[in-house]
Amino acid sequence: MNSSEPIAQANQPKATFTVITGSAFHLSFRQLLKTLPQDYVGTLAGIQTRYGPLVHWRVMGGLMNFAFISDPRVNRELYVRHTDALEKSPTQVQTFLYAAGRSVATEHGETWRTKRKEANSLFSRQIIEASCAGQVDVVRQFAKTLDRTPQDGLTISRKLAALTSSRGILGRAISMEEADAQIAFSQAAGARFNTESAHLFARPNWMLAPWRKNLSRRKKDAFSIVDAAIADLRSANMPNDGLMAHYVNGDFVTSSDDEMRTILVGLLLGAQDNIAAAVAWVLAYVSQDVPLQDQIRQEITATDLGANALNSCALLQATIAEILRLRPPAPANQPRILNQNVELAGHTLPKGTYVFNSFYNMHHDAQVFPDPDAFDPHRFLNTTISRSTSYAPFGHGPRNCVAQGMATQQLAATLSGLLLGHRILPQQDGLPKTLQQPFLVPASFKVVAQAI
């Protein structure tokens, strides 16, 4: 595909909202509340197929309003121009508060802006890239522990996510016991977050007691890992290339050590399940294409495995982009609530509207991505496609994933570290089924890491 080829969406007609009132919508309010948590992707795909990419559903005469957005330009306009009008749903805030703490979940207004600006600086390319070679190394060391017997792909992925995220954030390798503790904490938080994320209303505290008890126990282990890393850094006075060093050494101001610990634990939490899901899909897809693995290996072998070198490996980066297109771990933004009236595509959505969008639908638009269900990394050798508003694995605008650079680096380091000494061979025909939790994860599958 020629890099000068225009993106088809540029010539698409302007999208308009389909406004539906009350029972004219094919789902009842009760059905929507039930189906969203069970199948967020499928529910939004069904709404788009039936009504189009922009839907405004007025319930009970407009007492409640829902907007379903799958048009990439309108989605970008909302998340770029109207970002201050978007608030998290109560259940999101509730879950983040229990999992990490107030400084992660509840900063708003000018305080939120300050924290966001600081976070953007912390995740600058220069700071992130410092740990890339270290991430490749921990993957290579882990890969040596895999024998030639079939291994569970999800288990491998969780461990790789823990190892690379800790190496990038804490600036040091962690033990397998620490990796297991980090995974257990993430799973304890995810058990409720996955259940609650598509719910609209926060649950009473008494309903949350069972999972909070388990989470509290797991949090102690996770915070201990961070506390030990901070203590080591302060006492050893040795170079540290992790994000943590820029907090501990005072480059970025936090109000207290407790806030710093909360932020670091939140970063480790955010870098676990998403990355594990993405790594699992990387294993699932590339295991089905050994010639592609050989081509990527040839490409990366000629480099020094630093961040700049891996960023310049076109096929490596295109493969990661294509997998994120096909199976974005977070297939949509979590539901947001408008705190003011917003006009989009010539239509006004009232204050209090619940907004749902779907990156998954955007990524499978045949006008932008021909044969959208096919795995074809070469399509992203056309770098224009990666700049399309239809490609948004990390969201749009100021509300996008602040750690997207870290995430893509983890994936590049992981795939590179695995392929430098191994071929990843499948143990079943075809790809595993897709599960929604609500991250898109593959059903259980096995691979063999064959040393070369």
Side-chain angles (χ1 to χ4, degrees):
M1 185 177 290
N2 190 294
S3 61
S4 64
E5 184 178 334
I7 298 297
Q9 68 183 21
N11 300 317
Q12 291 177 356
K14 256 190 175 180
T16 57
F17 270 90
T18 300
V19 182
I20 306 169
T21 301
S23 60
F25 197 64
H26 72 291
L27 292 172
S28 68
F29 180 51
R30 182 187 296 270
Q31 287 175 313
L32 180 73
L33 293 181
K34 181 179 179 180
T35 59
L36 273 174
Q38 296 174 347
D39 186 10
Y40 192 95
V41 172
T43 301
L44 296 188
I47 292 171
Q48 179 184 11
T49 300
R50 184 181 289 257
Y51 302 113
L54 295 175
V55 180
H56 175 193
W57 180 29
R58 303 174 70 251
V59 182
M60 295 179 286
L63 290 177
M64 292 196 70
N65 292 271
F66 299 89
F68 307 97
I69 300 175
S70 294
D71 180 90
R73 289 168 298 178
V74 174
N75 184 75
R76 182 176 179 84
E77 180 183 358
L78 174 64
Y79 280 86
V80 172
R81 292 183 55 195
H82 301 285
T83 186
D84 287 342
L86 295 164
E87 292 187 353
K88 292 177 179 177
S89 69
T91 186
Q92 286 175 267
V93 174
Q94 183 185 65
T95 303
F96 280 124
L97 279 171
Y98 290 141
R102 300 195 65 82
S103 65
V104 174
T106 57
E107 297 292 353
H108 296 292
E110 293 306 313
T111 305
W112 173 81
R113 290 175 186 276
T114 300
K115 294 295 181 185
R116 184 72 186 197
K117 184 177 180 180
E118 180 178 289
N120 283 331
S121 298
L122 181 64
F123 282 96
S124 70
R125 181 170 177 174
Q126 181 181 7
I127 292 175
I128 291 171
E129 289 180 346
S131 64
C132 184
Q135 290 177 326
V136 174
D137 185 61
V138 296
V139 173
R140 296 184 75 175
Q141 296 305 314
F142 173 73
K144 292 177 183 178
T145 69
L146 303 175
D147 56 29
R148 291 173 177 260
T149 59
Q151 305 277 336
D152 179 66
L154 296 177
T155 300
I156 293 174
S157 302
R158 292 189 187 104
K159 291 183 182 297
L160 286 169
L163 293 170
T164 55
S165 63
S166 296
R167 183 62 185 80
I169 294 169
L170 304 181
R172 66 179 180 89
I174 60 173
S175 68
M176 292 310 304
E177 290 76 15
E178 290 174 317
D180 289 339
Q182 184 173 317
I183 292 167
F185 167 55
S186 180
Q187 288 181 317
R192 179 50 45 179
F193 179 72
N194 292 344
T195 302
E196 295 288 313
S197 61
H199 282 289
L200 304 184
F201 309 110
R203 311 300 182 157
N205 279 346
W206 64 267
M207 295 180 66
L208 306 176
W211 73 266
R212 285 179 62 190
K213 184 177 181 180
N214 180 46
L215 178 60
S216 296
R217 184 171 67 252
R218 300 300 184 181
K219 280 174 69 174
K220 291 180 181 178
D221 295 333
F223 273 88
S224 293
I225 294 171
V226 171
D227 286 340
I230 293 173
D232 287 347
L233 179 58
R234 284 176 168 165
S235 63
N237 195 28
M238 295 176 62
N240 181 296
D241 58 18
L243 301 184
M244 180 185 71
H246 299 274
Y247 275 124
V248 174
N249 292 331
D251 295 352
F252 297 94
V253 178
T254 53
S255 57
S256 66
D257 270 13
D258 283 343
E259 181 177 320
M260 178 175 66
R261 291 163 65 245
T262 297
I263 291 172
L264 292 171
V265 169
L267 292 176
L268 289 171
L269 179 66
Q272 179 61 42
D273 281 359
N274 267 332
I275 296 299
V279 171
W281 283 116
V282 167
L283 292 176
Y285 273 101
V286 302
S287 66
Q288 299 287 328
D289 195 337
V290 173
L292 173 65
Q293 295 181 44
D294 293 339
Q295 292 170 31
I296 295 174
R297 184 180 302 105
Q298 183 177 7
E299 186 180 51
I300 62 178
T301 300
T303 76
D304 62 6
L305 304 179
N308 288 333
L310 294 186
N311 287 337
S312 67
C313 292
L315 187 56
L316 170 69
Q317 297 297 331
T319 299
I320 292 168
E322 176 70 343
I323 292 170
L324 290 176
R325 180 190 72 82
L326 284 164
R327 297 292 186 271
N333 277 321
Q334 303 303 320
R336 298 279 185 173
I337 304 174
L338 297 182
N339 58 27
Q340 61 190 50
N341 294 347
V342 169
E343 183 175 316
L344 292 170
H347 178 74
T348 299
L349 296 174
K351 177 181 178 180
T353 297
Y354 286 88
V355 179
F356 302 82
N357 67 354
S358 176
F359 305 136
Y360 185 90
N361 288 351
M362 299 177 201
H363 289 184
H364 288 75
D365 184 347
Q367 291 185 286
V368 181
F369 307 104
D371 196 7
D373 293 325
F375 174 54
D376 180 15
H378 294 86
R379 75 171 86 233
F380 276 95
L381 295 179
N382 169 8
T383 56
T384 307
I385 287 184
S386 64
R387 297 194 297 272
S388 163
T389 55
S390 290
Y391 181 67
F394 300 102
H396 284 136
R399 297 276 185 172
N400 68 354
C401 176
V402 69
Q404 59 182 299
M406 184 71 170
T408 53
Q409 178 170 297
Q410 278 183 260
L411 295 176
T414 297
L415 184 53
S416 299
L418 288 173
L419 294 186
L420 282 170
H422 296 81
R423 285 193 180 91
I424 310 302
L425 305 178
Q427 298 302 292
Q428 64 279 312
D429 293 330
L431 293 168
K433 291 182 179 180
T434 301
L435 304 178
Q436 178 186 315
Q437 300 180 347
F439 299 126
L440 296 186
V441 300
S444 181
F445 70 103
K446 292 185 180 296
V447 294
V448 165
Q450 181 186 73
I452 55 174

